[in-house]
Amino acid sequence: MVLTVHDVDRFEASRPRLEAIAYRLLGSASEAEDAVQETFLRWQAADDRIEVPEAWLTKVLTNLCLNQLTSARARRETYVGQWLPEPLLAGDPMLGPADTAEQRESVSYAVLVLLERLSPNERAVYVLREAFAYSHREIAEILDVSEAASQQIHHRAKKHVAAGKARAEVDEAAARKIIDEFLAAATSGRTEPLVRLLTQDAVAVGDGGGKVPARARAFEGAAAVATFMRGLFKPSKAKRDLVGGSPDIYATTANGGPALVVVVESRVVGVMCLEIGADGIAAFRSQVNPDKLERATERWAATEHGEPLLRAF
């Protein structure tokens, strides 16, 4: 099929939605961009003119992502250390719609981590239904399943996600207060103030991708996490050498939730996403794999971010 200028414009109008879907499905901005580009190429190569391009593009994209998710599971079995999604900083267009609580939740870092536990079909149904309000009839057509099956898959996926979330969330002002208290405690050199800020079952996990040192297993429990955080924020020449200088730490949002961004000379070297509930900080998830921070660095350079909360190490 020879695409007209109108066809290309129509695709470009759909690109933000397609990228937002692909990112939620894959947890990777670069892979999402590749999937959307492959969708365009398949549209270009289609034999017949597509009557409803938006529906056709969504179906092709979703199935490309499902295929990639299946192969990704095999790749992640050999991934060095823990695998975490690529974080997106505030204002990134790939975050997609954020008008409803369901849309905001679907792209939160904590939920993206939980979605890794779902089957590819469960993840697709959850994303299409919760984030983009597709009907079960539309989802059934996209996935080539029955409408009843779509409803059952959605119920199962939603139940799994709900079971893994923090008990309750706090508002932005309360989250910022906790972040300030956390940094003060983390730099105090003592574990007791940190323990008081954490839930008893708190976890800390990092993704270095084999390129930056990161523990292969998560720290679990308030005492273990507090000890780790105290050591993490303790200054040392080895840490400065590792990241290329003394990093500045900023409070911001990533994937719609509270986060700390670690910056060395305008380069983002780490994004720590915090999961904060009514009982305290439930999880720290740190992305330090440089391959997954390129987009964050680009976004950081293009936005205003004020003064750092502290200079670490």
Side-chain angles (χ1 to χ4, degrees):
M1 181 175 75
V2 178
L3 299 182
T4 66
V5 172
H6 174 70
D7 291 331
V8 175
D9 288 344
R10 195 165 182 177
F11 179 85
E12 290 304 321
S14 296
R15 184 185 291 274
R17 177 180 59 85
L18 295 173
E19 288 188 344
I21 291 173
Y23 171 71
R24 283 166 168 81
L25 289 176
L26 300 173
S28 165
S30 59
E31 290 181 3
E33 289 176 334
D34 290 344
V36 171
Q37 187 60 29
E38 178 61 25
T39 300
F40 176 77
L41 294 175
R42 294 198 179 194
W43 187 33
Q44 193 175 36
D47 294 333
D48 302 316
R49 181 158 296 279
I50 310 300
E51 292 185 7
V52 187
E54 289 77 7
W56 188 90
L57 292 169
T58 302
K59 182 180 178 73
V60 170
L61 174 78
T62 301
N63 282 283
L64 282 171
C65 290
L66 288 176
N67 291 337
Q68 190 152 335
L69 280 173
T70 301
S71 61
R73 290 187 173 224
R75 292 200 309 274
R76 287 171 194 170
E77 288 179 0
T78 60
Y79 190 82
V80 179
Q82 298 275 347
W83 186 97
L84 290 175
E86 179 179 348
L88 298 183
L89 300 184
D92 193 308
M94 199 175 282
L95 289 169
D99 299 326
T100 68
E102 290 80 10
Q103 289 172 337
R104 292 189 294 273
E105 182 180 79
S106 71
V107 79
S108 71
Y109 207 68
V111 167
L112 286 181
V113 171
L114 290 171
L115 291 182
E116 285 294 308
R117 304 177 187 177
L118 304 183
S119 70
N121 265 15
E122 287 173 338
R123 187 164 183 162
V125 171
Y126 183 89
V127 166
L128 292 172
R129 181 68 178 159
E130 296 293 311
F132 298 92
Y134 279 84
S135 69
H136 284 293
R137 178 182 59 79
E138 292 170 317
I139 295 172
E141 292 175 355
I142 290 170
L143 299 180
D144 292 324
V145 299
S146 69
E147 189 170 340
S150 175
Q151 293 171 337
Q152 291 170 354
I153 294 169
H154 176 248
H155 176 75
R156 190 165 61 244
K158 195 169 182 179
K159 184 178 179 180
H160 287 323
V161 171
K165 291 189 302 184
R167 272 71 66 189
E169 296 181 356
V170 299
D171 61 34
E172 186 174 343
R176 177 55 191 270
K177 181 175 183 293
I178 291 174
I179 285 178
D180 290 340
E181 292 174 349
F182 163 70
L183 288 177
T187 54
S188 71
R190 297 184 296 122
T191 59
E192 294 83 358
L194 281 165
V195 170
R196 288 195 292 270
L197 293 173
L198 308 177
T199 62
Q200 287 303 304
D201 57 353
V203 297
V205 59
D207 177 350
K211 300 185 177 183
V212 173
R215 180 180 164 95
R217 296 181 61 184
F219 291 91
E220 299 180 354
V225 172
T227 301
F228 167 66
M229 288 296 167
R230 183 190 64 187
L232 182 65
F233 282 86
K234 185 177 181 180
S236 75
K237 182 178 183 300
K239 293 174 186 172
R240 290 191 294 274
D241 291 343
L242 179 65
V243 299
S246 294
D248 291 323
I249 298 181
Y250 297 82
T252 185
T253 60
N255 294 75
L260 295 172
V261 176
V262 185
V263 182
V264 176
E265 297 180 353
S266 300
R267 177 172 54 90
V268 175
V269 298
V271 177
M272 178 185 286
C273 297
L274 284 72
E275 185 177 355
I276 302 176
D279 300 329
I281 305 173
F284 300 89
R285 299 182 177 95
S286 301
Q287 184 55 259
V288 293
N289 182 344
D291 293 343
K292 298 183 182 181
L293 294 172
E294 293 178 359
R295 188 180 180 94
T297 294
E298 292 173 3
R299 182 73 193 170
W300 190 257
T303 56
E304 293 293 329
H305 32 72
E307 295 297 317
L309 295 181
L310 64 89
R311 172 158 288 187
F313 308 165

